[in-house]
Amino acid sequence: MTHILSAVAWPYANGPRHIGHVAGFGVPSDVFSRYMRMAGHDVLMVSGTDEHGTPILVAADEEGVSARELADRNNRLIVEDLVALGLSYDLFTRTTAGNHYRVVQDMFTTVRDNGYMVQQMTRSAISPSTGRTLPDRYIEGTCPICGAEGARGDQCDTCGNQLDPTDLIGPRSRINGETPEFVQTTHWFLDLPALAEALGAWLDEREASGTWRPNVIKFSQNLLGDIRPRAMTRDIDWGIPVPGWEDQPTKRLYVWFDAVIGYLSASVEWARRSGDPEAWRAWWNDPQALSYYFMGKDNIVFHSQIWPAELLGYNGQGDSGGEPGRLGVLNLPTEVVSSEFLTMEGKKFSSSHGIVIYVRDFLARYQADALRYFICAAGPETADADFTWAEFVRRTNGELVAGWGNLVNRTASMIHKRFGRIPEPVELQDIDRALLDAVEAGFSSVGGLIAQHRQKAALGEAMRLVGEANKYVADTQPFKLKGEDPATQARLATVLHTLAQVVTDLNLMLSPFLPHAANDVDRVLGGRGRIAPMPHIEEVDELDPERLPEAFDGRTGYPIITGNYEDAPTWERHPIEVGTPVAKPAPVFTKLDESIVEAELARYTGSAPDDVTGA
């Protein structure tokens, strides 16, 4: 058994999340975590809503509510959506939690005291119309290095170089197009050059492991070529107060400094709520523990450079030396698992221009596992992918319904009609053994691919075995084995027993991808429907209310996602029990009418792509 941390990107709480978001961070991390638990590992899957920064203030102003009200509302919406999708978090929390404030401030203080935070005078971008600081990512212009248009104030996606807003040619606000004003101000900067050697050695080690996706490791190593100190505080009054600057209430820790620390603070919060406050250390202090960070490609820099640098600084492992803080020596990421972008009908997702499919709206009309299947089969695993309604219907009807669903339904229907319960096999023939052996081998091949974050290939292999099972039905023709002849009855019992075992195996194999359906299929074959334990929402008390600013007075708690996933079966064949009653089955998957393509496309008539926020 290995301790495995599934560190899942924190969805930003300026609005509900769309299917492009969960394609990048949500479903891939859940498939991996569910498999790893079944494979015998001790998994801790953590995340939460990211609730600080200027975009929250902008969205709150637009709605005429306070930042806290907006964050509270969107936190609950996101929590409900992720539970409906079946994402098996051990803890999904939020950055506006006192526990998070406590861990973040401890992290900053230790990194600063170890010499990796330096004060520098800088020019900060201010919105002329609001007087607020503009986040680096909300400023765009022409890249001074490669000349590409649309470079952001933190990096150019075309050439991959790290930038500052002042580097851009013709900078403008992505919020409203205005030209920002640059004013002199003092901030704390993370001294990345003092950590560059340690970062480089860590990335070289990660490259040597051969596990990182090539685009991620190369991009991360290229960042070292232009490394410079990076501001970790901002001129803003919404965020975590800066230790030592309590007399400057308009300065806060940069939202991205605090957000990445959320993986650690969520682990600490989970441990505190579990009854063993030190339990988190098994995932963070043990050098044998493994950690996997799931996100979209636009967040690579923060997970392969900024967060590892913060950890190295906290550990005292850079050029300036130092001592670890009270949390001890913290593990750096084992792997940054970055997905590419999902578009919709060839257009970039944009909430403000109506090019969006919110998770909540999608799940109100379609099955959660139909979305999960599409993301796993055709999502942006290693290249940008496009969601189209025609392809969604095709895959749902042609693969889920006609392939897997049909196999389940035919098997259960024949068993129910001919025996009423799982029959006992009499004598296996070569064709029976061949299918049983092929499917059992799938536990190794499918599991190995999931462990390597090759989920598209893993699902493809599982569905190939579904095809083999359907071919077995066509070859053995159990529906033609009629009559009371003992030999015929014996052969029918053997074939249907074989199919029941194969369906059971395949169901377990597909459960990380299709957890809702896995429970339904298990019930169809007489089980209890507990193949894939599900997450749930709990209302919890605030652990450290004294850490929160006055804006949070009166808030005593918040919703979290958690669950008990220990009941998931082990990743191997479990022999079926002869005599288990099998009732007349109902279809597990809903076949979609072709007319939904036109109906769904009509919702977006007149929509136009928008590069203002892309969110």
Side-chain angles (χ1 to χ4, degrees):
M1 180 185 73
T2 301
H3 284 88
I4 291 178
L5 177 72
S6 283
V8 189
W10 290 54
Y12 201 57
N14 62 333
R17 299 298 85 185
H18 57 63
I19 66 170
H21 293 129
V22 296
F25 73 83
V27 175
S29 61
D30 188 56
V31 171
F32 177 79
S33 298
R34 286 181 178 277
Y35 162 71
M36 283 296 180
R37 291 186 188 110
M38 297 169 77
H41 302 292
D42 202 342
V43 174
L44 181 61
M45 179 175 169
V46 294
S47 185
T49 44
D50 179 6
E51 301 178 14
H52 294 130
T54 300
I56 294 289
L57 295 174
V58 171
D61 283 351
E62 290 175 350
E63 296 193 26
V65 299
S66 70
R68 173 189 158 181
E69 288 174 317
L70 181 88
D72 284 347
R73 186 191 70 204
N74 288 331
N75 164 262
R76 189 170 293 276
L77 286 174
I78 292 169
V79 162
E80 291 172 353
D81 289 350
L82 299 186
V83 165
L85 199 53
L87 305 187
S88 58
Y89 292 102
D90 291 281
L91 179 70
F92 184 93
T93 179
R94 61 195 308 183
T95 56
T96 60
N99 173 82
H100 180 69
Y101 276 50
R102 183 172 59 86
V103 174
V104 168
Q105 289 173 326
D106 175 78
M107 190 94 182
F108 174 86
T109 301
T110 302
V111 174
R112 181 196 64 196
D113 293 350
N114 277 343
Y116 300 104
M117 286 288 179
V118 294
Q119 285 191 39
Q120 289 186 7
M121 186 72 74
T122 185
R123 295 173 69 201
S124 179
I126 303 294
S127 166
S129 62
T130 66
R132 290 193 181 122
T133 301
L134 285 169
D136 295 350
R137 289 192 163 201
Y138 274 56
I139 304 170
E140 66 180 10
T142 303
C143 176
I145 299 172
C146 71
E149 295 294 330
R152 299 193 309 267
D154 59 349
Q155 71 184 45
C156 173
D157 287 339
T158 301
C159 65
N161 283 290
Q162 179 181 336
L163 301 172
D164 286 325
T166 53
D167 297 329
L168 295 173
I169 300 169
R172 60 189 176 277
S173 168
R174 297 179 70 195
I175 298 172
N176 56 19
E178 65 186 2
T179 300
E181 295 178 358
F182 290 94
V183 299
Q184 290 289 105
T185 185
T186 300
H187 284 296
W188 283 105
F189 282 69
L190 180 62
D191 191 1
L192 288 170
L195 296 158
E197 184 176 350
L199 271 174
W202 170 69
L203 284 171
D204 288 345
E205 175 190 282
R206 295 293 83 216
E207 182 181 33
S209 73
T211 58
W212 283 38
R213 290 172 178 170
N215 62 315
V216 179
I217 190 67
K218 291 303 180 186
F219 176 81
S220 303
Q221 289 174 320
N222 289 341
L223 292 173
L224 296 175
D226 185 36
I227 201 165
R228 66 183 77 173
R230 188 128 184 188
M232 289 292 124
T233 55
R234 286 291 188 269
D235 293 297
I236 188 175
D237 58 4
W238 174 250
I240 299 179
V242 183
W245 280 2
E246 286 83 3
D247 60 339
Q248 301 186 60
T250 60
K251 288 189 183 291
R252 293 288 186 267
L253 290 171
Y254 177 36
V255 62
W256 264 108
F257 177 81
D258 92 73
V260 290
I261 297 173
Y263 304 116
L264 173 60
S265 70
S267 302
V268 172
E269 181 180 345
W270 166 83
R272 294 177 70 187
R273 296 192 184 281
S274 74
D276 180 2
E278 301 300 308
W280 64 273
R281 294 185 182 277
W283 286 269
W284 286 92
N285 293 152
D286 181 356
Q288 299 303 313
L290 303 175
S291 56
Y292 299 87
Y293 289 72
F294 295 84
M295 74 216 58
K297 67 178 178 182
D298 54 334
N299 292 334
I300 293 175
V301 63
F302 292 99
H303 294 82
S304 67
Q305 184 184 87
I306 304 301
W307 177 226
E310 291 177 27
L311 291 166
L312 289 166
Y314 186 89
N315 294 341
Q317 295 173 328
D319 294 348
S320 299
E323 294 294 329
R326 66 178 182 83
L327 301 177
V329 176
L330 301 171
N331 293 335
L332 272 66
T334 301
E335 185 170 351
V336 173
V337 187
S338 169
S339 298
E340 302 295 297
F341 289 146
L342 185 72
T343 55
M344 184 185 106
E345 301 289 346
K347 298 177 181 178
K348 181 180 179 181
F349 278 101
S350 169
S351 302
S352 59
H353 278 57
I355 304 174
V356 65
I357 312 170
Y358 291 117
V359 172
R360 175 162 300 219
D361 294 340
F362 193 102
L363 298 185
R365 302 194 291 273
Y366 307 103
Q367 291 177 293
D369 280 359
L371 175 58
R372 291 177 63 112
Y373 183 85
F374 183 94
I375 289 172
C376 295
E381 183 174 276
T382 57
D384 289 352
D386 191 39
F387 176 91
T388 69
W389 286 105
E391 183 67 359
F392 172 68
V393 170
R394 186 193 71 78
R395 285 189 177 273
T396 299
N397 291 347
E399 296 171 17
L400 274 184
V401 176
W404 175 227
N406 187 44
L407 176 64
V408 172
N409 194 269
R410 285 199 294 177
T411 299
S413 294
M414 288 188 287
I415 291 174
H416 168 72
K417 184 177 181 180
R418 302 301 296 274
F419 296 95
R421 60 194 66 249
I422 301 291
E424 184 173 1
V426 178
E427 182 179 356
L428 293 176
Q429 297 183 5
D430 288 346
I431 190 173
D432 310 320
R433 295 190 191 91
L435 179 64
L436 288 166
D437 291 347
V439 170
E440 187 172 23
F443 285 107
S444 176
S445 58
V446 172
L449 290 166
I450 295 175
Q452 298 169 30
H453 308 292
R454 297 179 60 195
Q455 296 182 6
K456 192 174 292 188
L459 181 56
E461 171 65 5
M463 292 303 288
R464 183 189 69 79
L465 293 172
V466 169
E468 289 294 313
N470 276 317
K471 182 178 183 299
Y472 172 84
V473 175
D475 291 343
T476 57
Q477 299 184 318
F479 41 84
K480 289 186 177 181
L481 296 173
K482 301 178 180 179
E484 299 301 321
D485 177 66
T488 301
Q489 284 291 302
R491 182 60 191 147
L492 178 61
T494 302
V495 169
L496 293 183
H497 182 95
T498 299
L499 279 172
Q501 183 65 65
V502 164
V503 168
T504 298
D505 292 344
L506 290 171
N507 188 45
L508 195 153
M509 218 175 290
L510 287 165
S511 65
F513 305 97
L514 310 171
H516 302 85
N519 291 333
D520 290 340
V521 171
D522 186 57
R523 282 187 283 268
V524 163
L525 289 180
R528 297 181 301 167
R530 298 180 184 175
I531 294 297
M534 286 295 177
H536 64 270
I537 299 172
E538 281 187 18
E539 301 292 333
V540 297
D541 293 333
E542 171 61 60
L543 294 175
D544 300 293
E546 74 284 354
R547 288 280 184 163
L548 296 172
E550 290 182 3
F552 294 93
D553 286 351
R555 191 183 82 182
T556 59
Y558 49 89
I560 63 169
I561 303 175
T562 188
N564 183 348
Y565 310 109
E566 295 179 356
D567 288 343
T570 52
W571 188 260
E572 61 188 340
R573 169 168 286 166
H574 293 259
I576 56 176
E577 187 175 340
V578 171
T580 300
V582 176
K584 184 178 180 180
V588 173
F589 300 106
T590 302
K591 186 175 182 179
L592 303 178
D593 194 284
E594 296 287 344
S595 65
I596 76 159
V597 175
E598 185 176 343
E600 291 290 352
L601 289 175
R603 296 177 190 269
Y604 312 101
T605 300
S607 300
D610 166 38
D611 290 324
V612 176
T613 65

